Amino acid sequence: MTPGSSVDLKIKIAGRLACVSPSATLGLTAKAKAMKAKGLPVISFGAGEPDFDTPEAVKEEAIRSLKAGFTKYTPTAGIPELREAVCRKFQEDQGLSYSSENVVVSCGAKHSLYNLFQVLCDPGDEVLIPAPYWVSYPEMVYLAGGAPVFVETFQGEGFLPKPERLLKAVTPKTKILLLNSPSNPTGAVLGRRDLERIADIVLEKGLLCVSDEIYEYYLYEGLTHVSIAALGEEIKNRTFVVSGASKSYSMTGLRIGYAAGDAEVMKKVGMLQDHSTSNPSSISQRMALEALRLPKSYREEVRGIFQKRRDKTAALLSKVNGLRPFMPQGAFYVFCGIAETGLSSDVFCARLLEEAYVAVIPGKSFGSDKHVRFSFAASEKDIEEGIERISRWMGRTIKG
Ligand SMILES: *Cc1c(COP(=O)(O)O)cnc(C)c1O
């Protein structure tokens, strides 16, 4: 028997896995990597993470903590200093007052979101998810027994969820409204006015809001991030804000995320962690604490570099015949319309990779088969060369 193969035992997989599909993002990235390893000159716009190294001070803290033997279990919900630092961060950035009981540190923001749905969803509870959406949201809701309900947004409307459409999607079973601003994959940013109208719906219908703000420091054109929780005490009490160190400080592999919200709910999130993962890595927690101490200038520097890349990516893509890029105001992706090619997003991406050695991610996994996602967490040189290749490939591929 070859290692890794499955003997024919007909093992029955639990029913709750039936709705869960593999992550297409990871599949395509793996293929691009394999091609690169074979020596093919692949340029990848697939990355879902900043391309910078982790800040030096953060790495040094890892070495210090390791040498000091900080390698044992910590409190499940996170070391007290980190939970306090997260509270200070919310206060400084958004004027949001939380205390440590409102905060749980988890193994990445993905884990924070997963835990929240596990704690909040009963079978059949509906979660409103504006589409296009981040790939993992529907699967997380399914795994919690909940039912994702997609609320369409459109490129011509800035990919912003329209209050009328949200209201129409609310049923007696609706429990949660999920927000992600700045958005992965569209880069759309909800402004204060948009958020106020959404908050009114949450309050009027007695919903809860889960707000994924992982891209909070990636905003362009001088925009500043607004959290829906910062709009008033009432909406804050019904909102769970999720963020983390991955995107903000180039720490994706270190797995630190956190959520803040109602203390009773967060206590249950902590209990769920008690019986599943226990604490996130002790060393990573110390690293995240160090990251939160970095001067604001670090974020400004990163934002400046990404602003230039965004401008370049969007400008070059908009000149390619047959592509319709959406100008993102945040995050580090350009969501690009491909309807004129007549290809599905899977076929578009597979052919682009095989024929032009350029990797982008099919929009289908984000809920739109008429788009593909470009990540501009890439060098300006790769952005220029990659889009030049796409332009030539499009010329050959699109007839008439
Ligand atoms: C990357 C990402 C996350 C999760 O990041 P972690 O590495 O788990 O902290 C969550 N939401 C969105 C929209 C993301 O793009």
Side-chain angles (χ1 to χ4, degrees):
M1 189 188 152
T2 42
S5 70
S6 164
V7 276
D8 195 17
L9 285 180
K10 299 250 187 315
I11 296 170
K12 191 189 166 296
I13 305 292
R16 82 179 78 85
L17 266 291
C19 287
V20 179
S21 42
S23 161
T25 322
L26 297 180
L28 209 114
T29 324
K31 185 164 181 209
K33 266 195 185 140
M35 286 171 68
K36 234 181 197 164
K38 274 202 256 163
L40 296 169
V42 173
I43 291 179
S44 181
F45 297 118
E49 59 188 349
D51 52 327
F52 301 135
D53 195 6
T54 307
E56 207 49 42
V58 173
K59 293 203 281 187
E60 272 160 22
E61 176 57 33
I63 295 165
R64 262 198 307 279
S65 296
L66 194 60
K67 291 233 163 107
F70 195 68
T71 52
K72 304 291 167 61
Y73 290 133
T74 75
T76 300
I79 52 175
E81 310 88 286
L82 180 54
R83 291 167 85 191
E84 282 156 24
V86 168
C87 294
R88 276 198 301 280
K89 173 226 155 328
F90 278 122
Q91 185 71 56
E92 279 168 25
D93 287 354
Q94 297 288 326
L96 279 167
S97 297
Y98 291 114
S99 62
S100 292
E101 308 87 77
N102 299 112
V103 173
V104 172
V105 181
S106 299
C107 310
K110 187 181 267 184
H111 188 215
S112 303
L113 290 160
Y114 182 89
N115 285 344
L116 280 169
F117 291 124
Q118 288 291 327
V119 166
L120 295 174
C121 284
D122 264 327
D125 282 348
E126 293 176 357
V127 179
L128 297 184
I129 304 179
Y133 45 78
W134 184 47
V135 280
S136 293
Y137 296 145
E139 321 301 273
M140 286 179 180
V141 172
Y142 285 131
L143 283 168
V149 173
F150 302 111
V151 181
E152 261 197 288
T153 70
F154 298 94
Q155 187 160 351
E157 296 174 353
F159 285 121
L160 297 175
K162 286 271 167 226
E164 311 84 77
R165 277 192 213 105
L166 286 172
L167 265 175
K168 249 173 101 181
V170 175
T171 75
K173 290 191 160 178
T174 311
K175 178 145 187 192
I176 300 170
L177 167 65
L178 179 61
L179 292 181
N180 175 214
S181 171
S183 154
N184 175 5
T186 67
V189 169
L190 291 163
R192 185 173 292 274
R193 293 289 291 281
D194 307 310
L195 289 168
E196 278 167 356
R197 295 175 69 191
I198 294 171
D200 286 344
I201 295 173
V202 172
L203 295 178
E204 184 192 317
K205 297 291 179 183
L207 309 179
L208 300 171
C209 180
V210 171
S211 183
D212 179 354
E213 303 179 13
I214 192 94
Y215 293 100
E216 61 186 324
Y217 296 133
Y218 292 86
L219 277 98
Y220 308 112
E221 301 162 19
L223 288 175
T224 47
H225 175 66
V226 183
S227 172
I228 190 168
L231 296 181
E233 204 52 29
E234 264 188 299
I235 186 70
K236 175 178 173 245
N237 292 338
R238 295 188 156 268
T239 299
F240 297 87
V241 182
V242 174
S243 191
S246 285
K247 311 287 160 60
S248 302
Y249 302 107
S250 267
M251 288 175 59
T252 43
L254 294 157
R255 313 305 307 131
I256 295 294
Y258 45 81
D262 178 83
E264 280 308 305
V265 172
M266 295 316 293
K267 200 162 148 189
K268 301 286 187 212
V269 169
M271 270 174 45
L272 181 62
Q273 266 184 202
D274 279 339
H275 297 295
S276 49
T277 55
S278 293
N279 60 275
S281 153
S282 56
I283 303 287
S284 295
Q285 290 187 65
R286 279 279 182 87
M287 294 173 83
L289 181 59
E290 192 62 30
L292 286 169
R293 290 183 180 138
L294 288 171
K296 279 204 173 73
S297 57
Y298 172 79
R299 278 145 37 189
E300 284 313 309
E301 202 182 317
V302 171
R303 188 206 300 245
I305 293 167
F306 274 85
Q307 166 95 51
K308 276 173 71 188
R309 291 168 169 184
R310 178 205 76 148
D311 295 350
K312 173 159 273 175
T313 309
L316 291 174
L317 282 175
S318 65
K319 285 192 222 138
V320 177
N321 238 335
L323 294 184
R324 222 156 68 79
F326 174 70
M327 178 63 105
Q329 291 182 309
F332 40 72
Y333 310 101
V334 176
F335 209 50
C336 190
I338 56 159
E340 285 173 47
T341 65
L343 302 175
S344 72
S345 62
D346 281 340
V347 171
F348 181 99
C349 293
R351 284 189 54 189
L352 183 65
L353 181 58
E354 274 157 32
E355 297 166 19
Y357 301 148
V358 176
V360 301
I361 307 290
K364 194 170 142 191
S365 34
F366 304 100
S368 171
D369 205 20
K370 293 187 164 66
H371 288 84
V372 296
R373 192 194 74 176
F374 284 78
S375 161
F376 53 87
S379 70
E380 291 195 36
K381 186 169 155 283
D382 274 4
I383 290 169
E384 282 164 22
E385 158 84 20
I387 298 175
E388 175 59 32
R389 281 193 208 169
I390 292 168
S391 178
R392 275 184 268 129
W393 178 79
M394 287 284 291
R396 293 196 298 274
T397 307
I398 316 302
K399 293 173 187 83

